Amino acid sequence: MEKARQEEIDQVIDAIDLSMQEPEVEPYRQYYFIKKCRQMIAQLTDKLGQRPTANVVTFGCQMNSRDSEKLEGILADIGYTFADSEDADLVLFNTCTVRENANDKLYGRLGQLKRYKEKNPDMLIGICGCMMQEAEEVERIKKSYRYVDIVFGTHNIYKLAEILNERLEGNRQVVDVVEKADEIVEQLPNKRLYSFKSGVNIMFGCNNFCTYCIVPYVRGRERSREPEDIIREIQNLVADGVVEVMLLGQNVNSYGKNLENPISFAQLLEKVVAIDGLKRVRFMTSHPKDLSDDLIRVIKENQKICRHLHLPLQSGSTAILKKMNRGYTKESYLDLALKIRREIPEMSLTTDIIVGFPGESEEDFEDTLDVVRKVKYDSAFTFIYSKRSGTPAAKWENQVSDEVIKERFDRLLKEVQKDAANSTKKYEKETVDILVENLNDHMDGYVTGRMSNNMVVHIPGQKSLIGKIISVVLDEAKGFYYMGHMVESEV
Ligand code: 5AD
Ligand code: SF4
């Protein structure tokens, strides 16, 4: 995390007297439990002859990745080191439940962990995240997976130290899942995956209740962070070497509406781009129904805002969109997407599409294909509709047959792949800036970076380039990425 903030937190923790009653107020209550856990982990370190290892396994979206960084921050602070393998002293699954197959995956992995635990009696197993906000899943863990040590949900990840402390003191399964988030707890440790870029939560939860989606039930109602807290966090990140931030929310376009002093997302963005030293700003996800002209203007006027907009379509049929409770029509979505294409031609547009929503007819699906052909997405995530119990759509008749879904899914995939390949061709031979993010996994002597529009570029280069924004020539488009080389003057 940002060094200045970590030092501040450490000073407060050092001053805590553990013989006193634990404080009621957050984050001080958590500082108290962090200190208690530090003592117990220090004892475990003596016993093991080395610091215990932890592995946080993240499923799902960027929101979960960001939550995992917070969980790792607390674990690092209390004395864990990190391991890549699940054969660790603490394994924490941060789960996703947006589609059914995510749930199946988790139970498979849990079986494997039991074997590790039989070998290592000090091992702790934790499960948290969206799936644990579902009562039936928690019951299943309580009943059939007694060897799981701690269970908590999405609303109280900040309580990890308190929950761990209860488990370490009591030696029995601790389940702490709350229905509703009562507060946004600021000023806790967190560990960043990258030194040069970071996600920043601007809001939590969702109020949209799309009829297929479980997110509002597991992430709760929309809560925006105060703009001052967001700006301070980004300033601290920049002071610590971060050049790119991704502002995160389920529906960033409704940011700030419910704050005591309301502020729009466009206004927040203007404050963020004004931060000195910050080079790039991304955001995710934009709901089409709330995307304002003001936002388009702010993006257009500020080159720091990356030229990538993820604009989930879900379906191109007005009738299905109505059943989905999406709040827009085929025509209004097309108007919006084409307006963005017109106003900011270099903007890359990506989307999410669901195939096989209950009642989807061939004509409805043709409408989806029609929108895809007209918008020509730079890339699209396509999903087969997954029935989520507790959502309105799960109870609806005329669920589409697997056969029809598969056939539609393949047709859709062909269409989006064609557009994506064409869109990469667009910038061949041009010179663009990329932020170098990693060593290339497959080619020695190469590094990988991203353009402002989120496209991936591989270039010959060394580790020292990681975290830098450099000019490259895009030599060859390869479908979903480019091969390029660094501009001479920068070598
Ligand atoms: N079935 C299939 N896809 C879903 N998504 C959300 N809920 C479901 C579901 N029940 C998709 C949407 C959303 C993305 C994150 O996941 O397309 O935009
Ligand atoms: Fe789910 Fe709709 Fe909210 Fe997105 S906007 S999280 S799809 S309910």
Side-chain angles (χ1 to χ4, degrees):
M1 78 181 306
E2 315 88 85
K3 283 188 207 87
R5 219 169 90 187
Q6 181 70 56
E7 277 164 21
E8 257 171 53
I9 295 174
D10 279 340
Q11 276 173 12
V12 181
I13 293 179
D14 285 345
I16 289 173
D17 177 357
L18 288 182
S19 65
M20 308 278 283
Q21 188 75 14
E22 66 264 19
E24 288 294 323
V25 180
E26 299 294 2
Y28 302 100
R29 184 177 174 85
Q30 294 315 309
Y31 294 168
Y32 177 92
F33 287 111
I34 285 174
K35 189 158 182 170
K36 278 190 95 174
C37 283
R38 279 184 187 173
Q39 290 186 343
M40 284 186 277
I41 298 304
Q43 281 168 11
L44 184 59
T45 304
D46 286 343
K47 182 174 163 192
L48 298 172
Q50 60 181 30
R51 283 167 70 186
T53 53
N55 183 9
V56 179
V57 183
T58 311
F59 299 88
C61 66
Q62 265 125 346
M63 208 60 92
N64 262 17
S65 303
R66 183 71 184 127
D67 284 351
S68 288
E69 290 185 343
K70 295 177 184 175
L71 294 164
E72 289 189 357
I74 295 171
L75 293 175
D77 204 317
I78 64 181
Y80 280 94
T81 58
F82 292 92
D84 287 337
S85 140
E86 285 169 26
D87 190 1
D89 297 305
L90 185 151
V91 175
L92 186 53
F93 285 132
N94 189 5
T95 60
C96 168
T97 188
V98 78
R99 286 170 292 274
E100 183 76 39
N101 55 3
N103 295 31
D104 300 339
K105 255 195 251 167
L106 177 80
Y107 290 109
R109 304 269 286 259
L110 268 183
Q112 171 69 27
L113 283 196
K114 189 174 184 198
R115 260 164 276 147
Y116 291 136
K117 192 162 179 167
E118 281 159 5
K119 272 193 330 194
N120 174 7
D122 287 320
M123 180 181 184
L124 295 174
I125 300 174
I127 314 182
C128 63
C130 294
M131 214 173 127
M132 295 301 105
Q133 291 296 141
E134 292 179 275
E136 58 273 36
E137 303 295 346
V138 174
E139 281 313 307
R140 186 168 170 186
I141 302 279
K142 278 194 197 164
K143 205 164 139 245
S144 313
Y145 296 84
R146 294 299 308 166
Y147 58 93
V148 171
D149 297 283
I150 57 172
V151 172
F152 53 103
T154 54
H155 299 310
N156 51 0
I157 60 162
Y158 68 89
K159 272 177 80 177
L160 175 60
E162 181 171 349
I163 294 167
L164 207 53
N165 176 69
E166 190 181 335
R167 166 64 187 78
L168 291 169
E169 284 190 337
N171 208 16
R172 63 192 140 67
Q173 190 176 61
V174 177
V175 176
D176 190 344
V177 179
V178 289
E179 277 294 304
K180 204 169 141 278
D182 32 10
E183 56 183 330
I184 297 177
V185 180
E186 303 274 350
Q187 297 294 336
L188 280 171
N190 81 75
K191 183 172 171 287
R192 289 201 320 272
L193 200 58
Y194 295 94
S195 59
F196 53 88
K197 68 169 188 175
S198 179
V200 173
N201 296 112
I202 62 166
M203 61 200 300
F204 303 92
C206 180
N207 284 356
N208 289 310
F209 290 95
C210 301
T211 53
Y212 51 82
C213 185
I214 202 162
V215 169
Y217 305 90
V218 296
R219 290 253 168 202
R221 291 299 66 70
E222 218 167 82
R223 296 157 327 270
S224 294
R225 285 177 73 197
E226 292 294 339
E228 296 75 29
D229 288 334
I230 297 169
I231 299 299
R232 196 184 47 217
E233 178 176 345
I234 301 176
Q235 282 167 337
N236 287 336
L237 287 167
V238 170
D240 208 28
V242 165
V243 291
E244 178 181 298
V245 292
M246 161 90 86
L247 308 179
L248 295 172
Q250 305 296 347
N251 175 14
V252 294
N253 296 331
S254 66
Y255 169 78
K257 286 186 181 154
N258 301 325
L259 286 172
E260 210 173 295
N261 298 310
I263 159 172
S264 72
F265 180 55
Q267 287 168 322
L268 176 74
L269 259 184
E270 285 190 303
K271 287 181 192 287
V272 172
V273 292
I275 296 174
D276 263 353
L278 182 65
K279 303 271 174 54
R280 283 179 164 190
V281 182
R282 299 185 182 278
F283 53 86
M284 184 86 110
T285 295
S286 270
H287 195 305
K289 80 177 162 63
D290 299 313
L291 201 150
S292 68
D293 284 350
D294 215 27
L295 179 63
I296 299 177
R297 176 187 61 76
V298 170
I299 299 173
K300 192 172 171 174
E301 287 172 0
N302 289 286
Q303 284 300 323
K304 268 193 197 180
I305 303 175
C306 288
R307 276 16 197 171
H308 172 214
L309 190 68
H310 188 65
L311 198 62
L313 168 67
Q314 313 300 4
S315 167
S317 149
T318 298
I320 295 290
L321 287 168
K322 191 152 196 286
K323 287 190 194 155
M324 288 177 161
N325 192 30
R326 290 291 290 172
Y328 53 87
T329 62
K330 176 184 183 187
E331 289 70 29
S332 68
Y333 182 97
L334 271 174
D335 282 351
L336 176 65
L338 299 178
K339 175 159 68 185
I340 295 165
R341 286 258 189 253
R342 208 169 46 240
E343 291 287 319
I344 317 172
E346 72 278 20
M347 191 80 133
S348 146
L349 282 180
T350 61
T351 201
D352 292 340
I353 300 171
I354 298 176
V355 177
F357 185 79
E360 183 188 72
S361 67
E362 177 59 26
E363 291 72 52
D364 292 322
F365 178 68
E366 289 286 342
D367 274 333
T368 299
L369 285 181
D370 189 43
V371 175
V372 168
R373 286 188 196 111
K374 289 189 166 121
V375 177
K376 300 190 193 319
Y377 293 104
D378 297 85
S379 111
F381 296 98
T382 50
F383 304 107
I384 287 176
Y385 168 71
S386 169
K387 202 171 171 178
R388 307 311 292 126
S389 62
T391 62
K395 291 190 221 77
W396 293 347
E397 303 284 311
N398 48 32
Q399 305 269 341
V400 184
S401 76
D402 289 352
E403 228 169 279
V404 172
I405 290 182
K406 185 165 184 327
E407 182 262 339
R408 287 182 191 162
F409 189 81
D410 291 344
R411 275 156 71 200
L412 177 64
L413 208 61
K414 273 202 196 104
E415 201 63 48
V416 296
Q417 281 172 350
K418 205 164 62 192
D419 290 333
N422 284 339
S423 99
T424 341
K425 276 256 173 262
K426 260 193 307 213
Y427 301 105
E428 217 173 37
K429 308 293 175 215
E430 287 191 19
T431 303
V432 300
D433 284 349
I434 63 168
L435 169 59
V436 180
E437 297 190 341
N438 318 87
L439 285 177
N440 190 295
D441 294 338
H442 306 290
M443 288 180 291
D444 272 353
Y446 278 75
V447 291
T448 300
R450 264 173 213 279
M451 292 162 57
S452 161
N453 69 7
N454 213 34
M455 280 178 186
V456 168
V457 185
H458 305 298
I459 59 163
Q462 302 306 321
K463 200 173 165 191
S464 56
L465 289 175
I466 293 176
K468 298 213 167 86
I469 294 181
I470 56 166
S471 270
V472 299
V473 180
L474 303 172
D475 297 314
E476 196 186 348
K478 293 274 202 182
F480 298 99
Y481 60 89
Y482 287 102
M483 298 305 299
H485 69 273
M486 205 173 2
V487 171
E488 282 306 313
S489 62
E490 309 210 17
V491 183

